[in-house]
Amino acid sequence: DGGITQSPKYLFRKEGQNVTLSCEQNLNHDAMYWYRQDPGQGLRLIYYSQIVNDFQKGDIAEGYSVSREKKESFPLTVTSAQKNPTAFYLCASIPMGGVRTEAFFGQGTRLTVV
Amino acid sequence: GEDVEQSLFLSVREGDSSVINCTYTDSSSTYLYWYKQEPGAGLQLLTYIFSNMDMKQDQRLTVLLNKKDKHLSLRIADTQTGDSAIYFCAESKDTGRRALTFGSGTRLQVQP
């Protein structure tokens, strides 16, 4: 079955440490997105990529970095520059072609700073 | 800029209908969506509607779109305890970054 897999489900980070969240999709979607979710808030866009080897900042990119070396993979690194990284992170993918722009979501990674 | 707003909480009794409301500001939105999120999980697409439609029905779900007022609603008929979750309204366009812009979510609590 096609889908999006995020790992790990739970991640703990020490102060000053970089961590990388994995997102893999086998839907053959061109576009991939990273969102951050805080309690009582909607999802905010961190970074997105519509084609391999290209990515763009979203609305809250500071303190994060991404890469898109393969179509299937869009890892997110939370750097030490991100001052408040504790949140639920969701990865999504969207097909660029076709009439319907439907985003498929992974099950999320909950990151906690300890 | 883009903005999507929803009320934060709705409580209904099992068997009643639930109506969750959403307003958006971007008149160029192409698609409007309703997603469901259960605790600790990702988002599940419930239904979507094109901006040139005014109603869509899918089993217990009815979506109404008032494009003039930029108002979207989701009606769940015969609400069950399993419908308790957070419901997100979102919009996107068919051009540009294509990213979804989300409301803050409505927590639906179904009382037995």
Side-chain angles (χ1 to χ4, degrees):
Chain A
D1 277 341
I4 301 181
T5 302
Q6 289 186 241
S7 62
K9 188 169 181 179
Y10 299 97
L11 187 57
F12 297 90
R13 190 193 96 166
K14 292 182 181 177
E15 296 277 355
Q17 201 177 39
N18 291 356
V19 291
T20 297
L21 285 59
S22 169
C23 178
E24 303 276 334
Q25 55 101 357
N26 60 3
L27 299 162
N28 200 34
H29 288 171
D30 293 292
M32 296 185 74
Y33 301 80
W34 275 105
Y35 288 89
R36 170 180 170 139
Q37 184 180 20
D38 293 284
Q41 296 191 36
L43 280 68
R44 293 182 290 167
L45 182 66
I46 305 172
Y47 265 100
Y48 67 100
S49 166
Q50 294 182 331
I51 194 168
V52 175
N53 292 322
D54 186 54
F55 49 82
Q56 306 294 330
K57 291 182 180 180
D59 301 318
I60 55 163
E62 186 175 348
Y64 299 98
S65 66
V66 293
S67 63
R68 187 88 186 275
E69 296 175 4
K70 298 187 299 181
K71 189 175 184 178
E72 302 80 22
S73 179
F74 191 42
L76 173 75
T77 296
V78 184
T79 75
S80 56
Q82 171 47 242
K83 297 306 176 192
N84 184 21
T86 295
F88 191 51
Y89 291 87
L90 286 159
C91 179
S93 70
I94 296 177
M96 288 294 283
V99 175
R100 194 176 77 192
T101 306
E102 174 183 329
F104 290 81
F105 282 85
Q107 289 300 300
T109 293
R110 186 166 298 281
L111 174 62
T112 304
V113 174
V114 295
Chain B
E2 303 165 353
D3 196 15
V4 179
E5 294 190 359
Q6 302 176 238
S7 53
L8 291 180
F9 185 75
L10 175 66
S11 180
V12 300
R13 291 194 182 278
E14 191 173 17
D16 288 349
S17 292
S18 308
V19 179
I20 303 172
N21 295 301
C22 170
T23 57
Y24 61 99
T25 58
D26 192 342
S27 58
S28 64
S29 299
T30 308
Y31 306 93
L32 295 135
Y33 305 85
W34 285 103
Y35 282 85
K36 176 182 180 182
Q37 185 180 38
E38 299 189 17
L43 272 65
Q44 173 196 353
L45 178 67
L46 289 177
T47 187
Y48 68 95
I49 189 168
F50 294 114
S51 59
N52 61 359
M53 298 167 64
D54 52 20
M55 188 182 100
K56 182 178 181 182
Q57 187 152 4
D58 185 0
Q59 299 183 339
R60 292 191 298 125
L61 305 178
T62 303
V63 178
L64 295 178
L65 175 60
N66 181 327
K67 196 172 180 182
K68 174 176 168 288
D69 294 338
K70 300 190 189 68
H71 182 267
L72 182 74
S73 68
L74 173 70
R75 179 177 179 270
I76 306 172
D78 187 25
T79 313
Q80 304 297 306
T81 54
D83 295 324
S84 293
I86 300 176
Y87 291 79
F88 289 95
C89 169
E91 63 85 26
S92 74
K93 288 175 272 297
D94 209 11
T95 57
R97 66 186 195 180
R98 289 184 165 222
L100 274 67
T101 299
F102 287 86
S104 56
T106 299
R107 182 178 294 276
L108 174 65
Q109 183 180 70
V110 182
Q111 312 268 14

